[in-house]
Amino acid sequence: MRAIAGMTLAAQVTTFFNDIITSQGASKLGIQFGAYGTFSSFFGLAIPEVASKYPELMGLADYASAMAFEMFTNSSNTANSATSPSTQDIYVRMLFHNGTTSNSSEPQVYQLFGSGQDALSWADFQKGMGGFSIGSTQQWCHVCGNSTGQCAAYAGSTTGAAPSATSSASGSGSTLSPVENGAIGAMVALVVVLGVEALILLVTGLRVVKKSKAARRSEGEVERVESVAVKA
């Protein structure tokens, strides 16, 4: 679930492109600003061979990095026409640049979904993104295993659940729910924190004492200092 940002981004991109098509190009440009984690999670979901084919995408993105999804057509039938091209003539490609883009360092195209193609047909792009995208609150609730708050309305319902989350959970052989996994993770984190604190106390010789006892000890030190000052 650390890739939830990439799942959400996939749905947002697909929705925006659908708006471009249905509005016949009235919507032309969409811009988002976000954290570097969104890049990593999307690359891991959309590029199966990212580690072997694009190792440069495995690290954290630098500040001012940019990812662009470009929708275009090569059809000459609509070059001088006011009508939008057919969806069969529409293609999409993804470009990414790590760090600030300049004239000497431009974004490059990355192949999605293991297709081996720089540009995908609109149908193939939709299919690939739909394999892991989360575009509704109901899907988010099911994938995250949340049944409280605004997710209470969807508790017990499987409609709208993201297929990728279901398949990944069943394929791993785990019988724990996301909530149970989260609780286990929290306990492990707590044990690690306590272990680190114990190590610091052991190395530095510090001790944990009650607040009241520490206050009395501090007052005693002050009185002793004052007594020495009076004798002097």
Side-chain angles (χ1 to χ4, degrees):
M1 292 317 301
R2 284 174 290 185
I4 189 71
M7 297 177 183
T8 306
L9 176 65
Q12 293 171 341
V13 172
T14 306
T15 299
F16 184 78
F17 278 162
N18 268 316
D19 290 342
I20 292 178
I21 294 174
T22 55
S23 67
Q24 295 186 350
S27 300
K28 294 181 173 63
L29 179 66
I31 300 177
Q32 287 193 20
F33 297 90
Y36 60 81
T38 305
F39 291 110
S40 301
S41 61
F42 181 80
F43 294 152
L45 293 166
I47 308 178
E49 70 280 39
V50 60
S52 58
K53 192 170 184 178
Y54 303 120
E56 68 273 17
L57 299 182
M58 294 296 292
L60 297 180
D62 293 334
Y63 289 115
S65 295
M67 176 166 55
F69 296 90
E70 182 183 30
M71 174 179 280
F72 63 96
T73 180
N74 293 323
S75 175
S76 59
N77 295 331
T78 58
N80 299 315
S81 174
T83 61
S84 298
S86 168
T87 53
Q88 297 179 349
D89 297 325
I90 294 176
Y91 296 87
V92 178
R93 65 176 184 171
M94 188 202 78
L95 303 92
F96 173 74
H97 185 274
N98 192 29
T100 303
T101 302
S102 65
N103 292 334
S104 60
S105 182
E106 298 181 352
Q108 73 175 77
V109 177
Y110 287 89
Q111 298 174 349
L112 298 175
F113 316 126
S115 63
Q117 302 176 26
D118 289 347
L120 295 173
S121 67
W122 171 236
D124 289 340
F125 181 79
Q126 274 189 305
K127 181 179 179 180
M129 293 290 241
F132 57 82
S133 63
I134 294 178
S136 68
T137 301
Q138 184 174 1
Q139 285 182 319
W140 186 92
C141 291
H142 282 293
V143 172
C144 293
N146 193 357
S147 59
T148 61
Q150 63 179 343
C151 292
Y154 309 115
S157 172
T158 58
T159 305
S164 59
T166 304
S167 61
S168 62
S170 59
S172 63
S174 173
T175 58
L176 298 178
S177 69
V179 175
E180 291 170 330
N181 283 324
I184 293 174
M187 292 300 296
V188 172
L190 179 60
V191 171
V192 172
V193 171
L194 293 177
V196 172
E197 290 181 350
L199 180 61
I200 292 175
L201 294 175
L202 180 63
V203 173
T204 61
L206 298 176
R207 294 293 181 269
V208 178
V209 298
K210 291 184 178 180
K211 185 176 180 181
S212 58
K213 184 177 181 180
R216 289 196 300 270
R217 180 180 300 176
S218 177
E219 292 173 357
E221 292 292 334
V222 173
E223 291 175 358
R224 186 170 62 84
V225 171
E226 289 178 347
S227 177
V228 173
V230 169
K231 288 181 180 180

